[in-house]
Amino acid sequence: MKQIVVVSGKGGTGKTFLTASLCAISENSCFADCDVDAANLYILLKPEVKEIYPFFGRDKAIILKDKCSKCGMCIELCKFNAIDQNYEISDFLCEGCKVCYNFCPEKAIELKENKAGDYYFGLTKYGEMVYGILGVAQETGGKLVSKIREKLKKMAEEKKRKYLIIDGPPGIGCPVISSIVGTSLVLVVTEPSISGIEDMKRVTELALGMKIEVKVVINKFDINLENTKIIEDYCKDKRIEVLEKIPYSKKVVKSILNCKPYVEVYNDEIKEKIISIWEKIK
């Protein structure tokens, strides 16, 4: 079973556009959207949700007013300014670090379970899918990604799937690390912009540092041929294969507005390149 995760380093490169089409043309595969802060692959693949699982993040602290002596120690110790002068703890600011809980002299602070989001299992026309949606102001995305991948892998083993295709989050933070660790291939989708190049380098070096194979797709390559050459030179220096260069097209936007994978809407050069990418990955 091969796990392929598609990342970008930054948002807006066309990562999900490509991932959705790879899902649509793959065989014996199942899928996950690990961009839990802004999940959108499910919009294109349209899974019929079969199961919903609650996700619990870090415990949150609450102050028991009948026990509190208002000594002020919790306010002084809290590094996140989550406790106000009325001894109320903000759910949005509390990080669940447990400092106040451990040091309260009156034992007047309890920890409550914190529901931080949900993750879903559904069936698409292409295969099974798992995705998660993190709640507002929740910061345990890496843990939710691990839950999603755990569910996906278990399901793939039961169904004897050959490929796991994962739509990863942007950046290089905890959710990205949780998305790529232990995978077979990191496919980096980049664009020829300054931020696209720099963020591609960061996520590529992260994956290479974790000893994971990396390949690159340059999307919208023709909007700046000079920067495309910089990406190609970087990949050549790092011995990374550039699988394809996809031209800019307004049809990509139209396919997304139709909420369908590109390969189902158009039969053109871009579709041929996407098929070529999948054949090379296989």
Side-chain angles (χ1 to χ4, degrees), residues 52-60 112-120 133-136 138 140:
I52 303 175
Y53 305 93
F55 167 68
F56 295 94
R58 301 186 189 97
D59 291 341
K60 300 286 184 167
K112 64 177 180 178
E113 204 170 43
N114 173 46
K115 185 175 182 291
D118 296 285
Y119 59 107
Y120 306 79
I133 299 177
L134 201 61
V136 175
Q138 302 295 333
T140 48

Side-chain angles (χ1 to χ4, degrees), residues 42-84:
Y42 72 95
I43 297 173
L44 301 180
L45 299 188
K46 300 181 180 66
E48 179 184 354
V49 175
K50 297 295 185 181
E51 299 170 7
I52 303 175
Y53 305 93
F55 167 68
F56 295 94
R58 301 186 189 97
D59 291 341
K60 300 286 184 167
I62 56 172
I63 296 175
L64 306 176
K65 295 295 182 66
D66 58 332
K67 290 185 178 182
C68 177
S69 64
K70 299 183 179 180
C71 67
M73 182 177 289
C74 57
I75 296 176
E76 181 182 348
L77 291 175
C78 182
K79 301 301 182 184
F80 304 100
N81 298 317
I83 308 172
D84 63 23

Side-chain angles (χ1 to χ4, degrees), residues 180 182-186 204-214:
I180 70 176
T183 57
S184 312
L185 173 69
V186 169
T204 296
E205 288 166 8
L206 173 66
L208 293 176
M210 298 171 71
K211 309 299 183 184
I212 303 171
E213 183 179 5
V214 176

Side-chain angles (χ1 to χ4, degrees), residues 205-258:
E205 288 166 8
L206 173 66
L208 293 176
M210 298 171 71
K211 309 299 183 184
I212 303 171
E213 183 179 5
V214 176
K215 295 185 185 297
V216 167
V217 170
I218 307 175
N219 191 31
K220 300 174 280 190
F221 82 93
D222 49 350
I223 64 173
N224 191 318
L225 296 177
E226 183 178 345
N227 283 344
T228 293
K229 181 65 164 55
I230 292 174
I231 294 171
E232 291 177 304
D233 289 343
Y234 171 82
C235 291
K236 183 178 180 181
D237 181 63
K238 295 289 184 179
R239 298 182 180 179
I240 296 170
E241 181 182 6
V242 176
L243 294 180
E244 283 289 352
K245 296 186 292 184
I246 298 175
Y248 173 80
S249 174
K250 291 183 180 179
K251 291 190 292 185
V252 172
V253 178
K254 291 179 180 179
S255 71
I256 294 172
L257 290 175
N258 286 325

Side-chain angles (χ1 to χ4, degrees), residues 79-94:
K79 301 301 182 184
F80 304 100
N81 298 317
I83 308 172
D84 63 23
Q85 296 301 318
N86 295 319
Y87 293 89
E88 297 286 346
I89 300 179
S90 168
D91 282 342
F92 290 112
L93 296 177
C94 178

Side-chain angles (χ1 to χ4, degrees), residues 120-162:
Y120 306 79
F121 162 66
L123 300 177
T124 76
K125 63 187 289 188
Y126 320 104
E128 299 83 7
M129 180 178 184
V130 183
Y131 65 97
I133 299 177
L134 201 61
V136 175
Q138 302 295 333
E139 297 183 354
T140 48
K143 185 178 178 182
L144 178 53
V145 168
S146 296
K147 289 284 187 182
I148 292 170
R149 288 192 57 196
E150 181 182 329
K151 175 66 177 176
L152 181 71
K153 186 177 181 182
K154 181 179 179 181
M155 179 182 61
E157 290 171 346
E158 291 174 354
K159 300 290 184 179
K160 294 181 169 53
R161 297 304 184 203
K162 188 174 181 180

